[in-house]
């Protein structure tokens, strides 16, 4: 006879169909079976904060960061992977988010040297300028499809500015990030989606290679120039490693912030008391933004690869299996976050959030993401007194690592002067 735990399952491949309903499903799973083998998903789902945090911290559990190939191509025979998707297989396994020490330690040192104060100071005024332009655009047209008309324009233009890539490539960012997010670590991904990802890698490399060669001759105060000059005890990044870093910045720094802006604005529109608190307490803007990030659950999961057999909560995890750390469930764990379903502007323990993956792989660009989100939302509540979602529900995209929506039709009400 099956137990209730064995009967209940969550198919993370159905993230788009489940929409925000996946959060309630994961909450239920967390209380029933925190380390759960999902037959529907073909992987382990880990849902408690303590367990996820333990996995993120590093060395205690045999969970490898070399997991993207296993999570993306489990249905493709190993002998066929490089033949079918040569560019994916050349770069993705060498991204900093997909390597273990000592390779990870080396790359992180060099990237941390590159992502320095000079680069951040150079981009900060640009963020403020772009947000001001977007506020003016919203005032002129307060009824918009927010995601593409507003939400994508800020992080897209900021990422290009950060890297030193001409703004004329902004339209291509959408194609690149969409191709990556619909293929990488998506359960049951199709060959067509993988080929779009393969072609996006090739297209991006052409653009980035041109800028890298230009900056070798004429460096500027941008990240690509910093990547070229980064030096740690005589060690430098290779050309291929610089291309890989640029690819990852597009994946991790563009669509994630775009999705967070869209989901954050949607959440704010449904919580007028939160909107009003942010307006009346501008000094609390960052705290409120971080709580929004926890609540909206844009950062939903991260996969890991079991590097050797081990037991966890009485379950036998086998070498070669994939584990999904469900950040969205951990960020709603009532053991850590009292009344976790509430969007609480007074919540005191915001630094506990799993959204930026605390631990050895803590998001290198978290300060830039927080800067954009906090400045945009702070200016939004300053210039507009409310917002209304014009569609009855959100329609989510298929990816499970970083959730986003297809359309967000909104109407904003300008504040009276």
């Amino acid at each position: 006879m099956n137990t209730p735990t064995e009967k209940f399952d969550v198919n993370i491949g159905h993230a788009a169909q489940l929409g925000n309903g996946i959060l309630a499903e994961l909450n239920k799973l967390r209380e029933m079976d925190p380390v759960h083998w999902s037959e529907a998903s073909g992987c382990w789902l880990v849902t408690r904060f303590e367990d996820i945090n333990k996995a993120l911290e590093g060395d205690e559990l045999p969970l490898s960061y070399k997991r993207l190939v296993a999570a993306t191509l489990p249905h493709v025979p190993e002998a066929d992977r490089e033949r079918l998707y040569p560019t994916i297989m050349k770069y993705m396994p060498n991204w900093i988010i997909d390597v273990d020490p000592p390779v990870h330690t080396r790359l992180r040192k060099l990237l941390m040297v590159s992502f320095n104060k000079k680069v951040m100071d150079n981009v900060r005024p640009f963020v403020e300028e772009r947000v001001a332009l977007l506020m003016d655009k919203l005032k002129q047209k307060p009824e918009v499809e927010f995601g593409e008309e507003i939400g994508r324009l800020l992080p897209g233009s900021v990422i290009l500015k950060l890297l030193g890539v001409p703004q004329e490539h902004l339209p291509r960012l959408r194609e690149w990030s969409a191709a990556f997010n619909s293929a990488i670590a998506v359960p049951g991904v199709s060959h067509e989606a993988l080929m779009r990802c393969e072609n996006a890698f090739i297209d991006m490399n052409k653009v980035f290679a041109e800028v890298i060669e230009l900056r070798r001759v004429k460096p500027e105060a941008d990240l690509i120039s910093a990547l070229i000059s980064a030096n740690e005890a005589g060690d430098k990044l290779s050309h291929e490693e610089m291309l890989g870093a640029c690819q990852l910045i597009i994946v991790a720094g563009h669509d994630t912030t775009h999705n967070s802006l869209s989901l954050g604005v949607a959440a704010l529109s449904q919580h007028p008391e939160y909107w009003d608190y942010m307006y009346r307490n501008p000094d609390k803007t960052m705290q409120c933004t971080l709580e929004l990030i926890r609540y909206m659950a844009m950062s939903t999961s991260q996969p890991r690869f079991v590097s050797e057999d081990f037991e966890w909560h009485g379950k036998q995890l086998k070498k070669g299996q994939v584990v999904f750390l469900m950040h969205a469930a951990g960020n709603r764990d009532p053991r850590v976050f009292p009344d976790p379903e509430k969007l609480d502007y007074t919540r005191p323990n915001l630094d506990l959030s799993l959204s930026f993956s605390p631990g050895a792989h803590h998001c290198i660009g978290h300060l830039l993401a927080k800067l954009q989100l906090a400045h945009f939302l702070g200016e939004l509540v300053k210039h507009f007194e409310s917002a209304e979602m014009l569609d009855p529900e959100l329609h989510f995209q298929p990816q499970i690592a970083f959730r986003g929506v297809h359309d967000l039709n909104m109407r904003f009400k300008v504040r009276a002067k």
Side-chain angles (χ1 to χ4, degrees):
M1 177 181 292
N2 289 335
T3 67
T5 294
E6 290 172 328
K7 289 180 180 178
F8 183 74
D9 202 359
V10 178
N11 189 340
I12 59 175
H14 291 170
Q17 299 93 310
L18 289 168
N20 269 333
I22 197 173
L23 302 177
E25 297 278 279
L26 293 172
N27 285 345
K28 183 178 179 181
L29 188 61
R30 183 187 59 237
E31 303 311 314
M32 292 176 62
D33 193 20
V35 176
H36 172 76
W37 173 256
S38 171
E39 291 289 347
S41 306
C43 62
W44 293 95
L45 303 179
V46 179
T47 46
R48 283 189 186 169
F49 179 95
E50 181 181 3
D51 297 325
I52 296 168
N53 201 43
K54 184 177 182 180
L56 291 173
E57 284 177 355
D59 302 331
E60 194 170 342
L61 298 172
L63 293 174
S64 173
Y65 285 88
K66 293 191 71 64
R67 81 285 191 192
L68 290 181
V69 171
T72 304
L73 302 171
H75 55 299
V76 180
E78 289 188 25
D80 294 334
R81 291 172 181 174
E82 290 192 12
R83 176 179 61 82
L84 292 171
Y85 317 112
T87 318
I88 292 176
M89 290 299 296
K90 179 177 182 179
Y91 289 95
M92 188 174 71
N94 297 306
W95 282 349
I96 188 173
I97 62 170
D98 200 53
V99 292
D100 294 322
V103 177
H104 172 263
T105 306
R106 170 185 169 265
L107 287 177
R108 188 172 181 88
K109 284 182 179 179
L110 289 165
L111 290 181
M112 290 295 289
V113 168
S114 304
F115 216 109
N116 54 42
K117 186 176 183 297
K118 181 180 179 182
V119 170
M120 279 293 292
D121 288 346
N122 183 53
V123 83
R124 188 181 302 273
F126 185 82
V127 171
E128 296 170 355
E129 172 192 318
R130 286 289 161 154
V131 169
L133 289 173
L134 292 174
M135 291 300 120
D136 289 341
K137 182 177 181 178
L138 264 182
K139 287 177 182 177
Q140 294 166 17
K141 186 187 176 185
E143 187 170 318
V144 295
E145 193 291 293
F146 180 86
E148 297 303 324
E149 294 185 53
I150 301 295
R152 190 179 295 280
L153 299 184
L154 177 61
S157 58
V158 169
I159 286 296
L160 293 179
K161 176 68 174 178
L162 173 77
L163 289 168
V165 175
Q167 292 290 320
E168 67 194 51
H169 293 295
L170 185 58
R172 301 168 84 173
L173 284 187
R174 179 184 180 185
E175 299 171 15
W176 295 340
S177 59
F180 276 39
N181 286 319
S182 63
I184 294 173
V186 175
V189 62
S190 68
H191 172 69
E192 291 74 20
L194 286 166
M195 284 308 303
R196 285 193 295 273
C197 186
E198 171 76 11
N199 291 329
F201 266 104
I202 294 169
D203 192 34
M204 291 169 71
N205 284 352
K206 291 177 182 177
V207 172
F208 294 139
E210 289 179 5
V211 179
I212 289 170
E213 292 311 307
L214 181 63
R215 291 295 181 267
R216 289 189 189 280
V217 177
K218 187 181 178 183
E220 296 188 7
D222 54 45
L223 185 55
I224 285 181
S225 297
L227 291 172
I228 293 169
S229 63
N231 190 313
E232 183 67 26
D235 186 24
K236 297 176 72 70
L237 293 167
S238 70
H239 179 74
E240 302 300 334
E241 288 169 341
M242 282 188 275
L243 288 177
C246 292
Q247 297 157 3
L248 184 58
I249 287 165
I250 296 299
V251 178
H254 167 236
D255 236 40
T256 52
T257 306
H258 160 234
N259 291 343
S260 293
L261 283 169
S262 295
L263 292 175
V265 167
L268 267 179
S269 72
Q270 297 172 325
H271 294 81
E273 76 290 349
Y274 204 91
W275 189 297
D276 185 62
Y277 179 85
M278 287 186 68
Y279 171 63
R280 297 183 184 281
N281 298 272
D283 59 314
K284 303 292 186 183
T285 297
M286 183 59 75
Q287 175 179 311
C288 290
T289 299
L290 294 176
E291 167 67 352
L292 269 169
I293 291 170
R294 179 201 71 83
Y295 177 84
M296 73 177 81
M298 186 285 300
S299 179
T300 311
S301 70
Q302 281 197 14
R304 295 290 185 270
F305 186 68
V306 180
S307 55
E308 60 183 69
D309 295 358
F310 74 105
E311 182 178 316
W312 202 5
H313 286 284
K315 307 296 178 65
Q316 302 300 318
L317 282 71
K318 301 296 183 181
K319 182 178 180 179
Q321 292 178 329
V322 177
V323 175
F324 272 82
L325 307 175
M326 304 308 297
H327 291 194
N331 276 342
R332 277 174 156 74
D333 192 334
R335 299 161 189 80
V336 178
F337 301 96
D339 198 5
E341 300 305 311
K342 179 182 179 181
L343 182 58
D344 184 359
Y345 47 73
T346 67
R347 195 177 295 280
N349 50 8
L350 299 175
D351 288 341
L352 289 172
S353 172
L354 299 167
S355 300
F356 290 100
S357 294
H361 282 246
H362 188 215
C363 175
I364 291 175
H366 72 100
L367 292 177
L368 181 62
K370 292 170 184 174
L371 167 65
Q372 293 179 79
L373 291 167
H375 190 67
F376 181 91
L377 295 173
E379 290 297 297
L380 184 72
V381 300
K382 175 182 174 182
H383 291 281
F384 299 87
E385 63 179 66
S386 65
E388 175 189 2
M389 286 178 55
L390 301 181
D391 297 318
E393 60 182 294
L394 299 173
H395 297 285
F396 281 82
Q397 296 169 358
Q399 60 262 29
I400 188 61
F402 303 122
R403 297 196 311 153
V405 293
H406 285 293
D407 298 294
L408 183 63
N409 294 300
M410 302 289 301
R411 181 185 296 123
F412 295 87
K413 185 178 181 180
V414 181
R415 285 196 184 277
K417 293 184 179 179

